[in-house]
Amino acid sequence: MMPQDDQVDGVASAIDQAGQASSKFEAARSLRMALLSGTPSDAPVEEVTDLPVKAALWAFEYRISIGRDDTRQRVVVEPRFRGASGETDPPELAAIAEDVVEVWHALTSKVSSPWGLARLHHLLFERRFGRPHEHAIAAAKNYLAAAKNWEVGLDRAKLLAIALRIARSVNANEQAELIVTQLLSDARQELAGDDNRPGVFMRLVESILAERQPPGGVDDLLEAAFAQYADPFIRDEILRLQIARASDAEVKKQLWGRLVEVWNEAADHAQGLVRATHLKKALECAEGSQDRELVERAAANLQALRHEDLGFATFAASTGIDDAEIERLLAPISGAGNWQHALLGLYQVYGPATGDLAQNKARMEEHAREFVLSGLLSRELIGGDGLPRYRPQTDEDRKAMALAEQESYNIQIFAPILALALSRVADTYGIPSETDLAEFFAQAPLADEDLSHALARAFIRYWAGDAEGAVFTITPRVETMVRNLVIAMDRGVYRLQRDQKPGQYPGLGYLLDVLKSHGMDESWHRCVLTVCANPAGGWNIRNEVAHGFVNNAGMPVAAVVLQIAIYLWSLNGVPDDSDGHKSE
């Protein structure tokens, strides 16, 4: 049954009163306070028993925005809240009861404020109530009228954008032209005013450019805006709009050049990481242009950065372990009986330097719960040369980075202990000869004579005090052993030459995944990956060493990589022997 006229009159009066506010926020707040007078301000609308009040509250709680469908703008109407289980507040527009829609229709004959009429007619159009075409035209007209009375620039620009899209959706071209004229007028006023509100200007211009045939003069507006707004981020947006509009190849090339120069100039006026970020942005823009010369110039500028230019701060922390505790940790090595058993103990006793995978994931999740804000910050990994390496793009990427960070923390704590353990092998049993070590390593069927001697020399370098030499020579052998294991499984992974890309084996990360799929311990898989080849964090020592970005690799780093080498060697199938050597 339809509500009584006096009930609708009261609600209409409240809408008109709220429509006199100067901003969208104030209008919505005023309406809610008026309609919920005498009840808690946070009371659920669903519990309101007065139908006209409930209908009005719901009408103004929908979130209306401009979205994109391919390259075209469209109006999106959705509930202000959507729960994880699918519940919404207010209900989905299509699910609104007919008696509520009837109230909206009744209010259109009582409400006089453009703000209120625009919203009511818009919802009736979206519900295809009565004569939808007439509701759409009425909504567009009232959105235009409301925008003219609105003081807050972004609110006004949004109302005009919504009005234009509604008018175009029903081919109300005469009304649409009036709105475009208003958009142009507002854009010119923004450039002429003293408020310096580039966000408002850009919102207005984007609505104009969404037209299939934007009006004349918009290119002049963009050029004027480029001169008016010095902020590189705004200039970036302006130039991208110009690039999208340009049809001539030479004009596009010039615009791309201007865009790269915007970020180069911004970098000239910045220092540290801000300067590096701007130069990276310049390179990204150059790559988008596909202009080789432009890319080379931008890359050269970024490559010129040095560590001292970035302004990094170094933090150090230490923890003390008493001598008795150190001896307890090293006891398995000292009491192994011989150097062979001691070497096996490096992985059998201590486990992976990154720690247990399940515990690391639990700590990562605990950290995410306790430090919520840190998960919202944008992060990027910097390589040993001071250049950007990796920025997570998805939630999965961010989780991978967080896990690698936890693993790296564990390595920093454990690596010095592992270095002491490896040194204790030589202190207790003496340094074995290369021949003895090579014979020991040759027990694994997949370790041929050359590999066995290479492993032996790497360990001897460490015990002789040449940690850097040990790192640089053992690191490529890690990949050798992983590759040997994959080949032994009869997995066809070699890739023939394609075009200019020569034939080669896939990368270490791919090979490690093959081993994991065949039963490699997951914690050890993570250890080898994070230490040697994890793009999402960790040491990534294989790439950093291979490209010459590691200036000085110390004993802890060498000990961790040598432990990984012993573990991978053990997977080759070391036979039981009289000395008690046992395969894993």
Side-chain angles (χ1 to χ4, degrees), residues 309-384:
D309 297 328
L310 300 177
F312 284 150
T314 301
F315 298 90
S318 61
T319 182
I321 303 178
D322 61 40
D323 292 343
E325 178 63 15
I326 290 176
E327 287 304 317
R328 186 189 70 79
L329 292 171
L330 299 183
I333 301 299
S334 301
N338 56 47
W339 61 264
Q340 292 94 334
H341 286 147
L343 283 181
L344 294 176
L346 287 175
Y347 78 89
Q348 291 177 342
V349 172
Y350 297 111
T354 49
D356 179 75
L357 177 59
Q359 292 181 5
N360 288 337
K361 287 184 175 180
R363 293 190 185 112
M364 177 189 74
E365 292 169 359
E366 181 182 1
H367 184 278
R369 290 192 299 269
E370 292 183 358
F371 304 97
V372 178
L373 290 180
S374 67
L376 301 177
L377 300 176
S378 176
R379 308 181 68 184
E380 186 168 31
L381 297 178
I382 303 298

Side-chain angles (χ1 to χ4, degrees), residues 380-404:
E380 186 168 31
L381 297 178
I382 303 298
D385 54 350
L387 298 180
R389 284 286 191 274
Y390 179 83
R391 178 189 293 274
Q393 303 296 320
T394 65
D395 288 341
E396 287 302 314
D397 290 344
R398 282 180 276 275
K399 288 180 182 179
M401 180 182 280
L403 180 58

Side-chain angles (χ1 to χ4, degrees), residues 71-304:
T71 59
R72 299 179 61 184
Q73 288 187 345
R74 60 184 179 86
V75 177
V76 178
V77 181
E78 56 187 351
R80 68 174 179 84
F81 171 79
R82 190 181 301 276
S85 59
E87 71 276 14
T88 66
D89 182 23
E92 295 281 1
L93 189 56
I96 285 287
E98 287 300 324
D99 56 354
V100 173
V101 181
E102 291 287 350
V103 172
W104 293 344
H105 182 240
L107 285 169
T108 59
S109 63
K110 304 287 186 177
V111 171
S112 61
S113 71
W115 173 72
L117 287 170
R119 175 59 67 98
L120 292 167
H121 280 293
H122 186 180
L123 295 181
L124 291 171
F125 165 62
E126 295 288 347
R127 272 297 297 259
R128 300 301 187 261
F129 178 86
R131 298 179 176 177
H133 186 273
E134 294 179 3
H135 288 303
I137 294 176
K141 286 182 179 178
N142 281 285
Y143 272 128
L144 175 58
K148 291 180 179 179
N149 296 330
W150 226 246
E151 293 182 9
V152 177
L154 282 174
D155 289 345
R156 178 179 174 122
K158 182 178 179 180
L159 290 184
L160 290 173
I162 295 170
L164 181 56
R165 299 277 60 84
I166 293 175
R168 289 300 189 197
S169 70
V170 294
N171 295 319
N173 295 326
E174 184 176 344
Q175 183 65 38
E177 293 304 321
L178 292 175
I179 299 168
V180 170
T181 299
Q182 188 65 51
L183 285 165
L184 282 168
S185 176
D186 281 15
R188 293 189 181 100
Q189 288 180 21
E190 284 297 327
L191 289 178
D194 298 326
D195 292 335
N196 192 30
R197 303 186 297 185
V200 175
F201 173 84
M202 293 306 297
R203 174 70 68 84
L204 294 165
V205 169
E206 285 170 359
S207 296
I208 297 171
L209 292 177
E211 292 284 272
R212 289 184 176 178
Q213 294 183 335
V218 69
D219 292 317
D220 292 337
L221 272 177
L222 291 173
E223 278 299 323
F226 185 89
Q228 174 93 347
Y229 303 123
D231 184 275
F233 293 94
I234 301 301
R235 287 187 164 181
D236 182 289
E237 288 188 55
I238 292 170
L239 283 166
R240 289 183 187 277
L241 291 176
Q242 291 178 307
I243 290 169
R245 284 181 54 74
S247 56
D248 183 79
E250 185 59 33
V251 172
K252 276 186 178 289
K253 181 177 179 179
Q254 293 174 4
L255 290 170
W256 278 113
R258 289 178 68 187
L259 181 55
V260 172
E261 189 57 31
V262 162
W263 291 109
N264 284 334
E265 289 180 2
D268 290 341
H269 295 87
Q271 296 179 339
L273 280 177
V274 176
R275 173 178 169 79
T277 300
H278 290 339
L279 289 174
K280 178 190 171 188
K281 187 69 175 179
L283 180 54
E284 289 175 351
C285 294
E287 290 175 344
S289 73
Q290 299 183 342
D291 183 329
R292 180 175 297 180
E293 183 180 351
L294 200 58
V295 171
E296 290 181 356
R297 290 203 306 268
N301 288 336
L302 182 60
Q303 291 166 192

Side-chain angles (χ1 to χ4, degrees), residues 20 197 261 451 482:
Q20 297 178 20
R197 303 186 297 185
E261 189 57 31
L451 177 59
V482 171

Side-chain angles (χ1 to χ4, degrees), residues 12-30:
S13 177
I15 293 174
D16 286 341
Q17 183 65 32
Q20 297 178 20
S22 61
S23 70
K24 176 181 67 175
F25 174 78
E26 288 297 331
R29 179 174 177 270
S30 174

